Amino acid sequence: MKLFYSGNSPYARRPRLAVVEFGLEDKVEVIDVSPLNDPKNILHNYGPGAKVPALETDTGAFVCETLLILQILDEASGGKFYPSDPVARGKAMQIEGIASLLMDSLFERSHENRRDPAEKSAAVIEKEAGRAARCYDALEAAVDELSGPLHMGILSAAASLGYADGRHPGDNWRTGRPKLAAWYEDFIKRPALANSMPNFG
Ligand SMILES: N[C@@H](CCC(=O)N[C@@H](CS)C(=O)NCC(=O)O)C(=O)O
């Protein structure tokens, strides 16, 4: 399979992390397709979205959308991404959902922040900042789960927090969330995390 990514994409970082952490490096070739804003970007040859992550499967499908890609990679790993026990699996999915919500919210706010002042919506920015704060709180409350056996929700939570640091340093998400801050500082020492840290200059 081929996984297309760009280095600073928080979405693409999730399957990139999974490939390393769940032992798929022999099955998945990772291909950097940045810069994404190049109209001749190779992704335009494959489908309408031209977004990362994108996955070309061994059966010739070209699949976009992070959660679908993770589903395919999970199958390729023999189901390593989520626990098999139903209760643990539900908790892992709960974390994955919060991490996804957080990433979407941060992504939307970052676009809104970069609009021309006349086009910017203070209401959207405020609404998404509130949603992100609730997600940070939920992750702080779930830190025991984050510290447990590795699953995809944990990797996605780390990717979202890394993106928060890059695009929304003013969120100061560590303030008032000491358990999450301590967990994250330790977790990002894992080579897969350290080697894929985004750099927004
Ligand atoms: N809903 C998509 C979002 C992916 C996405 O927005 N990726 C961004 C990079 S972080 C992208 O490819 N942007 C290129 C563009 O907008 O042209 C997913 O979950 O995979």
Side-chain angles (χ1 to χ4, degrees):
M1 288 188 270
K2 289 180 181 167
L3 174 67
F4 300 95
Y5 78 97
S6 70
N8 276 345
S9 166
Y11 292 96
R13 194 170 177 219
R14 290 157 65 183
R16 285 171 69 207
L17 288 171
V19 165
V20 179
E21 291 281 4
F22 297 119
L24 289 171
E25 282 166 302
D26 290 347
K27 291 187 178 171
V28 182
E29 182 187 356
V30 290
I31 301 171
D32 184 352
V33 290
S34 41
L36 295 176
N37 58 8
D38 179 351
K40 290 188 182 151
N41 192 298
I42 187 175
L43 290 178
H44 288 283
N45 300 340
Y46 288 93
K51 282 192 161 196
V52 290
L55 186 77
E56 187 179 36
T57 70
D58 290 340
T59 57
F62 185 75
V63 180
C64 55
E65 288 297 314
T66 301
L67 291 172
L68 289 175
I69 291 168
L70 292 177
Q71 191 179 320
I72 294 169
L73 295 180
D74 181 35
E75 282 163 21
S77 78
K80 288 187 185 159
F81 286 26
Y82 302 95
S84 51
D85 169 73
V87 175
R89 191 175 180 83
K91 280 189 185 162
M93 297 273 175
Q94 187 172 328
I95 299 286
E96 177 87 70
I98 293 166
S100 280
L101 279 175
L102 176 58
M103 190 169 286
D104 286 346
S105 174
L106 296 170
F107 193 69
E108 185 172 345
R109 181 153 51 106
S110 134
H111 278 273
E112 202 61 40
N113 277 336
R114 283 178 282 161
R115 282 188 204 282
D116 287 342
E119 293 180 350
K120 233 183 245 194
S121 164
V124 168
I125 291 171
E126 190 184 335
K127 182 175 178 186
E128 294 307 330
R131 195 191 319 273
R134 295 194 301 275
C135 289
Y136 299 140
D137 287 343
L139 293 177
E140 167 78 3
V143 85
D144 286 348
E145 174 71 24
L146 297 177
S147 309
L150 187 69
H151 58 63
M152 196 58 230
I154 297 173
L155 292 175
S156 293
S160 293
L161 293 172
Y163 184 59
D165 280 342
R167 284 288 189 218
H168 302 282
D171 280 5
N172 293 316
W173 62 262
R174 291 169 180 79
T175 304
R177 302 180 188 95
K179 290 184 283 182
L180 186 62
W183 167 77
Y184 182 76
E185 287 326 301
D186 192 46
F187 192 72
I188 58 172
K189 292 179 187 146
R190 295 171 82 100
L193 276 289
N195 295 335
S196 62
M197 206 48 93
N199 178 4
F200 294 105

